[in-house]
Amino acid sequence: MRNVKPEQLLLYAVTDRTWLHGRSLPDCVRDAIAAGATFVQLREKHASYEEKVALAREIAPICRNAGVPFVIDDDVQVALASGADGVHVGQDDLACAEARRLLGPQAIVGVSAHNVAEAVAAYEQGADYLGSGALVATSTKSDVTPLAPEELARICAAVDIPVVGIGGLNAENIPRFAGLGCAGAAVVSAIFAASDVAESTRELRRVCENTFWRTTNR
């Protein structure tokens, strides 16, 4: 076991302020955690470095006080400056091994993996968990071919670290991915676009428990 336990990935909340319509991101994160989110990633692609550091410094203590891991999308320097627990890097971002070198052995390093080869390479470089997808085609990423369930199952079986599914997931479609070996679901708009973040998160938590816990006997 590395720095992430499978149960910590059950309901992985990925932020996106474009859905908030003036609401406070830290407040929405606080509501999501109180309602059952088990992991938080700050993913604000259009924010400046200074904005991301400021947001991360507000969100980090919220997560820490709740015992919920908190990582930054792509940016090791933001993680270092804000006190976040680590980073999540993609295939085109800073290499897993370099992120690990900069952040140290106790930091969380997650890696996006779209096939078995990428999954094994990330595992060998010291990744703590994998994010695999996109599982469902979305209007925001029309150029993405969904990852086949069979490939997701092969990724989960190929590595001895937990895998979280991501991409277009919501309370209605998460159950499709039961029994494939995933530890949980990563969601963006299903939490942060909801008019009631807490209510939506509670429903997602219920669905994730039924989908992943019951099929993995945890």
Side-chain angles (χ1 to χ4, degrees):
M1 185 61 62
R2 303 196 186 185
N3 295 326
V4 174
K5 298 176 181 178
E7 57 266 27
Q8 292 176 303
L9 296 176
L10 179 66
L11 178 51
Y12 185 124
V14 182
T15 74
D16 187 343
R17 289 184 301 170
T18 62
W19 299 104
L20 298 185
H21 304 296
R23 292 176 292 174
S24 158
L25 181 59
D27 285 348
C28 288
V29 168
R30 185 181 288 107
D31 289 346
I33 290 173
T38 59
F39 202 111
V40 175
Q41 179 188 140
L42 180 70
R43 185 177 186 271
E44 299 297 332
K45 291 292 189 182
H46 303 296
S48 68
Y49 170 81
E50 291 77 14
E51 287 176 313
K52 287 188 284 187
V53 169
L55 283 169
R57 285 177 173 169
E58 288 190 76
I59 293 170
I62 296 170
C63 294
R64 187 176 304 112
N65 291 339
V68 169
F70 174 52
V71 299
I72 309 298
D73 178 51
D74 295 352
D75 200 322
V76 167
Q77 297 307 316
V78 172
L80 288 169
S82 66
D85 296 310
V87 294
H88 183 95
V89 297
Q91 291 296 314
D92 297 324
D93 304 321
L94 189 71
C96 175
E98 180 66 1
R100 171 67 67 208
R101 184 186 71 79
L102 292 170
L103 290 171
Q106 301 307 311
I108 294 173
V109 178
V111 179
S112 298
H114 310 95
N115 54 56
V116 169
E118 290 178 356
V120 171
Y123 174 75
E124 291 176 345
Q125 290 183 34
D128 293 299
Y129 74 91
L130 304 177
S132 291
L135 299 186
V136 179
T138 68
S139 59
T140 56
K141 289 190 175 183
S142 57
D143 58 334
V144 173
T145 302
L147 184 70
E150 298 80 8
E151 185 65 15
L152 178 59
R154 285 191 286 269
I155 289 170
C156 293
V159 293
D160 191 27
I161 51 175
V163 178
V164 61
I166 189 169
L169 296 178
N170 55 45
E172 288 70 42
N173 60 35
I174 284 171
R176 297 184 207 166
F177 303 97
L180 300 179
C182 275
V187 297
V188 187
S189 62
I191 290 178
F192 293 102
S195 58
D196 188 324
V197 167
E199 180 182 6
S200 180
T201 303
R202 277 191 291 271
E203 175 63 10
L204 285 161
R205 174 63 183 257
R206 183 190 66 79
V207 170
C208 286
E209 287 181 358
N210 289 337
T211 300
F212 303 111
W213 280 359
R214 291 185 180 181
T215 57
T216 56
N217 297 314
R218 285 199 305 274

Coordinates of all heavy atoms in Angstrom, one line a residue, residues 1 4 26 61 83 91 113 126 130 132 165 170 173 186 209:
M1 N 0.8 -1.2 0.0 CA 0.0 0.0 0.0 C 0.9 1.3 0.0 O 1.8 1.3 0.7 CB -0.9 0.0 1.2 CG -1.9 1.1 1.2 SD -3.1 1.1 -0.2 CE -3.9 -0.5 0.1
V4 N -2.2 6.2 -0.6 CA -3.7 6.4 -0.7 C -4.3 5.0 -0.5 O -3.9 4.0 -1.1 CB -4.1 6.9 -2.1 CG1 -5.6 6.9 -2.3 CG2 -3.5 8.3 -2.3
P26 N -14.4 27.3 -1.7 CA -14.2 26.7 -0.5 C -15.5 26.3 0.3 O -15.5 25.2 0.9 CB -13.4 27.8 0.3 CG -12.7 28.5 -0.7 CD -13.7 28.6 -1.9
P61 N -6.9 23.5 4.6 CA -7.2 23.2 6.0 C -8.6 22.6 6.1 O -8.9 21.9 7.1 CB -7.2 24.6 6.6 CG -7.2 25.6 5.5 CD -6.6 24.9 4.4
G83 N 0.5 23.8 0.8 CA 0.4 22.8 1.9 C -0.6 21.7 1.5 O -1.1 20.9 2.3
Q91 N -0.7 12.6 -18.6 CA 0.4 12.0 -19.4 C 1.2 13.1 -20.1 O 2.4 12.9 -20.4 CB -0.2 11.1 -20.5 CG -0.8 9.8 -19.9 CD 0.3 8.9 -19.3 OE1 1.3 8.7 -19.9 NE2 0.0 8.4 -18.1
A113 N -4.2 7.5 -16.5 CA -3.8 6.4 -17.3 C -4.9 5.9 -18.1 O -6.0 5.7 -17.6 CB -3.3 5.2 -16.4
G126 N 6.1 5.1 -9.2 CA 5.8 5.5 -7.8 C 4.4 6.1 -7.6 O 4.2 6.7 -6.5
L130 N -4.3 5.8 -9.7 CA -4.5 6.2 -11.0 C -5.9 6.7 -11.2 O -6.9 6.3 -10.6 CB -4.4 4.9 -12.0 CG -3.1 4.2 -11.9 CD1 -3.1 3.0 -12.8 CD2 -1.9 5.1 -12.3
S132 N -8.6 6.9 -14.4 CA -8.7 6.4 -15.7 C -10.1 6.8 -16.3 O -11.1 6.7 -15.7 CB -8.6 4.9 -15.7 OG -7.3 4.5 -15.4
G165 N -12.3 5.9 -11.5 CA -12.8 6.2 -12.8 C -13.2 7.7 -12.9 O -13.7 8.2 -11.9
N170 N -22.0 10.5 -13.2 CA -23.0 11.0 -12.4 C -23.8 9.9 -11.7 O -23.5 8.7 -11.9 CB -24.0 11.9 -13.2 CG -24.6 11.2 -14.3 OD1 -25.0 10.1 -14.2 ND2 -24.6 11.9 -15.5
N173 N -25.2 7.1 -14.1 CA -24.3 6.2 -14.9 C -23.2 5.5 -14.1 O -22.6 4.5 -14.6 CB -23.8 6.9 -16.1 CG -22.9 8.0 -15.8 OD1 -22.1 8.1 -14.8 ND2 -22.9 9.1 -16.7
A186 N -14.6 9.6 -9.8 CA -14.3 11.1 -9.7 C -15.3 11.9 -10.5 O -15.6 11.5 -11.7 CB -12.9 11.3 -10.3
E209 N -21.2 3.9 -2.8 CA -21.1 2.8 -1.9 C -21.8 1.6 -2.4 O -21.3 0.4 -2.3 CB -21.8 3.2 -0.5 CG -21.0 4.2 0.3 CD -21.7 4.6 1.6 OE1 -22.8 4.1 1.8 OE2 -21.1 5.4 2.4

